[in-house]
Amino acid sequence: MGALLEARNVVKHYGSVEALRGASFEVRAGEVVALIGDNGAGKSTLVKCLSGVEQPDSGEILLDGRRVRLDSPTRARALGIETVYQDLAVAPDLDPAANLFLGRELRRRGLFGWLGMVDKAEMRRRAAEQFQRLGVRVQSLDVPIGSLSGGQRQGVAVTRAVVWANRVVFMDEPTAALGVVQRERVLEVIRRVRDSGIAVVLISHNMPEVQAVADRVEVLRLGRRVARFRAADVTLEELVGAMTGALHQEDAA
Amino acid sequence: MTEERTGKAVAPASTVDNNVDRMLPQRTLWQRLVTANTFWTGLVLIGLYVVFSVLRPNAFPTLFNFQTLLIEASVLLVLAVGMTFVIITAGIDLSVGSVLVFSGVVAAMVMEGLHGGDATHAGWGTILLGFVLSLAAGAAWGLLNGVLVAVARVPPLIVTLGSFGAALGAAQLLTGGVDVRTVPTALRNTIGFGQTMQIPHLVVVAAVVTLFAAWLLHTTRFGRYTYAIGSNAEAARRAGIAVTRHLVMVYGFVGLLAGLAGFMNLAYFGTTTISGHATDNLNAIAATVLGGTSLFGGVGSVLGTVIGVFIPAVLQKGFVILGVQPFWQPIAVSIVLVAAVWFDQTRRRARERGR
């Protein structure tokens, strides 16, 4: 199976800072790839380029083997690429269903829909369905999500990305702020998403977590991909070695 | 790929999805009522009405008093309904009173100009033109506010403080500071004083505006985006909502309503009342906040604002009828207002801590 989403020799400067120096990356449908690297390795920049937030200075991005221009997050989303941001990007005063459908509200049928009325009942029903499908626990569907626990809020943010993604989901440190039980639940959601055939890219600093959930690992260092591993075979020493530069597996093409 | 996965057992679905039934039923109407701020402020309003009615059973709970109460609140209600939208986006509009005056002046001067300096006997064609101009003048100020806030990114407090001064100044320049005093009698007799089955027409206009705004805010996508932007503008932007355009529309809507209020004001008073609206903005903000709309954005309702408009109005009327010095009214309203915001702050802090 070929790569679903691929970056080739992507270069990105911020002023004089070279955040990506010919970085490559690939993820296939139905796999979890962990993107790891030390701080400043370029993980976030690479994800921004692949989710339409930033445009690379050079290099190419391929979706299903075809070159694409991801000139905005909206464009990326239209192509089935969703992102769970580290800061969640939810509206705390809206309820879970409203957040799930934010920017994609279902309209009522007929005249009411034409007038711009939203179908709250249907959105609620579908939201409940999706939370159930992904095993996300939300204590109530009609409270503002700001009053939910951190884990539940995370669950809503993850569900929103997953529901709309039909190709790739990026998750930037999705478990950073969570307790042990909640973390396990998010990892469980990640596995379910993968099993539904979607590509998941997990950015994480937590090596045990990476080893627990990822199928493959790609390592960035100083703006380039320096190593690729199958998660089943790799040891913690190898991962740390690749991140710190002690172990060098490949050069950027 | 399949071999890589075999080690990781996926939990059977039954262990995780046993609580969807618990999620589906909505809270009962009663549960939602008692947790809503609007319910309690509504009780305060009813309580005030009952207290004054008991204290002065012959003077307070009369049809005439009720009608006057509604008429006098109509113009402020239209302003406050617009203010609700802006404050829900976490913005503010200090210019509504001045925009009201400016719109009224534009409409009155054009109507007067078309009839050689005295519009008293002008017909409906002229009145309609004045109406449209009033709305257009209000909307224009609103759109200007919106562009400066959303596109130029000047804080709304400063932008609308600017147009608060500028719109009033422009109205005074146009008139030379002298009120336009001729307003078509046909307009005054229908919209200004007219009644159908004891219901004043001015009140009908305000009620229609309020119902429309409630519909817009609580059931449409426009309303949903208004809340989302006030709750977390960055999240709204990332969700693909055109935040800039929406904010311009919200400020434009408020301006439009201020223009309408200007025309209502003209119909009721029969003059442009240039110097009479310096504190309309503060009254509208107070009513909105009293009604449970949060200055931090993301929370609020039109019904709350209606209650927030009538609490000060009932206090005012009640104090006058009781013979209490009416100067107590702003003091009482201020105390309730500060208490309401304090309550809102406490609630938010509690939620932040809960994270």
Side-chain angles (χ1 to χ4, degrees):
Chain A
M1 201 195 315
L4 175 60
L5 182 65
E6 188 179 357
R8 285 189 193 156
N9 304 321
V10 170
V11 175
K12 178 72 186 173
H13 301 265
Y14 293 108
S16 61
V17 180
E18 221 175 6
L20 294 176
R21 316 174 184 204
S24 298
F25 176 79
E26 64 175 73
V27 58
R28 291 186 283 262
E31 71 170 354
V32 179
V33 174
L35 178 60
I36 66 171
D38 206 352
N39 290 339
K43 306 183 298 278
S44 297
T45 310
L46 181 59
V47 170
K48 281 179 184 164
C49 288
L50 289 172
S51 58
V53 176
E54 302 271 9
Q55 277 67 54
D57 298 325
S58 70
E60 45 186 24
I61 295 169
L62 297 95
L63 185 66
D64 277 334
R66 277 189 300 272
R67 257 190 97 155
V68 285
R69 251 180 74 79
L70 303 171
D71 41 21
S72 72
T74 317
R75 172 86 188 124
R77 278 199 305 271
L79 293 169
I81 302 169
E82 292 280 336
T83 309
V84 181
Y85 298 96
Q86 209 171 347
D87 62 1
L88 298 190
V90 292
D93 300 293
L94 301 185
D95 64 38
N99 268 287
L100 204 60
F101 284 90
L102 193 61
R104 290 165 161 137
E105 287 75 11
L106 299 176
R107 295 215 202 173
R108 292 174 54 158
R109 285 155 198 246
L111 176 67
F112 290 136
W114 184 79
L115 289 170
M117 288 178 76
V118 294
D119 193 339
K120 290 183 189 171
E122 177 64 14
M123 288 195 278
R124 222 181 108 78
R125 199 184 61 72
R126 290 205 200 168
E129 236 172 59
Q130 293 298 337
F131 289 134
Q132 182 191 33
R133 177 173 76 88
L134 294 166
V136 170
R137 284 162 197 243
V138 180
Q139 114 205 352
S140 165
L141 272 182
D142 51 18
V143 296
I145 72 169
S147 64
L148 300 177
S149 71
Q152 295 185 3
R153 230 175 297 142
Q154 180 76 36
V156 174
V158 169
T159 307
R160 177 174 63 183
V162 166
V163 165
W164 300 107
N166 46 33
R167 286 204 170 103
V168 185
V169 178
F170 289 97
M171 299 196 190
D172 194 353
E173 300 268 0
T175 61
L178 300 184
V180 178
V181 178
Q182 295 166 335
R183 174 183 299 243
E184 194 44 53
R185 224 169 254 158
V186 169
L187 297 186
E188 182 53 40
V189 170
I190 292 176
R191 293 189 187 105
R192 285 189 184 208
V193 173
R194 171 198 61 195
D195 293 343
S196 68
I198 292 169
V200 181
V201 181
L202 174 71
I203 296 100
S204 180
H205 277 114
N206 183 326
M207 293 307 129
E209 180 179 299
V210 164
Q211 287 174 304
V213 76
D215 300 306
R216 295 194 305 109
V217 183
E218 302 213 350
V219 187
L220 281 186
R221 185 173 135 72
L222 303 175
R224 282 199 190 98
R225 179 170 65 192
V226 292
R228 281 184 274 185
F229 301 103
R230 278 160 52 107
D233 311 334
V234 75
T235 63
L236 183 60
E237 287 69 31
E238 286 173 307
L239 291 178
V240 174
M243 283 197 290
T244 54
L247 182 146
H248 211 238
Q249 197 189 57
E250 65 179 87
D251 269 306
Chain B
M1 266 168 62
T2 38
E3 302 96 2
E4 289 180 15
R5 278 194 210 147
T6 41
K8 299 159 198 156
V10 172
S14 59
T15 60
V16 276
D17 55 11
N18 51 8
N19 64 338
V20 75
D21 289 330
R22 203 147 35 85
M23 273 157 44
L24 264 173
Q26 282 184 299
R27 290 178 298 163
T28 62
L29 188 61
W30 175 249
Q31 282 173 319
R32 291 202 289 174
L33 263 183
V34 293
T35 51
N37 291 350
T38 318
F39 177 71
W40 298 105
T41 39
L43 277 187
V44 169
L45 175 61
I46 294 169
L48 285 173
Y49 203 87
V50 169
V51 167
F52 286 125
S53 299
V54 169
L55 290 175
R56 286 289 183 279
N58 297 322
F60 194 81
T62 62
L63 178 64
F64 174 75
N65 192 39
F66 191 63
Q67 284 173 334
T68 335
L69 190 70
L70 292 180
I71 291 177
E72 287 173 1
S74 288
V75 171
L76 180 61
L77 182 59
V78 171
L79 293 180
V81 160
M83 191 66 77
T84 308
F85 281 74
V86 189
I87 295 185
I88 288 175
T89 68
I92 197 89
D93 190 345
L94 297 176
S95 71
V96 287
S98 299
V99 171
L100 178 157
V101 168
F102 179 85
S103 309
V105 161
V106 168
M109 288 187 73
V110 170
M111 290 194 291
E112 206 177 58
L114 284 175
H115 288 265
D118 185 355
T120 316
H121 303 292
W124 281 101
T126 307
I127 294 173
L128 192 66
L129 180 68
F131 175 68
V132 171
L133 283 174
S134 195
L135 294 187
W141 277 109
L143 290 174
L144 178 64
N145 284 339
V147 168
L148 289 171
V149 167
V151 181
R153 308 238 175 168
V154 183
L157 188 78
I158 300 304
V159 169
T160 60
L161 186 62
S163 39
F164 169 70
L168 186 63
Q172 285 167 327
L173 275 178
L174 286 174
T175 57
V178 183
D179 274 314
V180 180
R181 291 179 185 283
T182 71
V183 170
T185 313
L187 172 65
R188 301 209 64 204
N189 287 342
T190 49
I191 307 294
F193 305 124
Q195 290 192 357
T196 304
M197 291 162 60
Q198 304 289 349
I199 303 167
H201 293 165
L202 202 65
V203 175
V204 174
V205 174
V208 168
V209 168
T210 305
L211 286 175
F212 170 76
W215 171 81
L216 187 66
L217 184 61
H218 299 297
T219 71
T220 71
R221 189 143 67 164
F222 185 89
R224 183 62 66 91
Y225 290 177
T226 304
Y227 283 107
I229 289 169
S231 190
N232 185 345
E234 183 54 33
R237 197 168 281 122
R238 288 193 208 158
I241 296 172
V243 173
T244 305
R245 195 186 65 190
H246 192 85
L247 282 175
V248 173
M249 289 200 292
V250 166
Y251 282 89
F253 178 61
V254 180
L256 184 79
L257 290 186
L260 174 65
F263 199 70
M264 291 165 70
N265 187 66
L266 211 54
Y268 182 60
F269 287 108
T271 158
T272 47
T273 61
I274 291 173
S275 56
H277 298 273
T279 58
D280 278 12
N281 51 5
L282 300 182
N283 293 336
I285 293 166
T288 305
V289 172
L290 211 51
T293 298
S294 168
L295 286 169
F296 303 97
V299 176
S301 71
V302 171
L303 177 62
T305 297
V306 174
I307 296 168
V309 165
F310 281 104
I311 286 179
V314 166
L315 275 174
Q316 173 103 43
K317 269 267 168 294
F319 285 166
V320 169
I321 289 175
L322 282 181
V324 177
Q325 278 197 319
F327 306 122
W328 281 106
Q329 184 258 6
I331 296 177
V333 171
S334 305
I335 292 170
V336 179
L337 179 68
V338 173
V341 174
W342 185 29
F343 180 73
D344 179 44
Q345 290 263 29
T346 319
R347 197 175 53 89
R348 286 194 172 239
R349 272 200 295 268
R351 198 174 81 185
E352 296 291 323
R353 273 199 300 273
R355 291 199 169 172

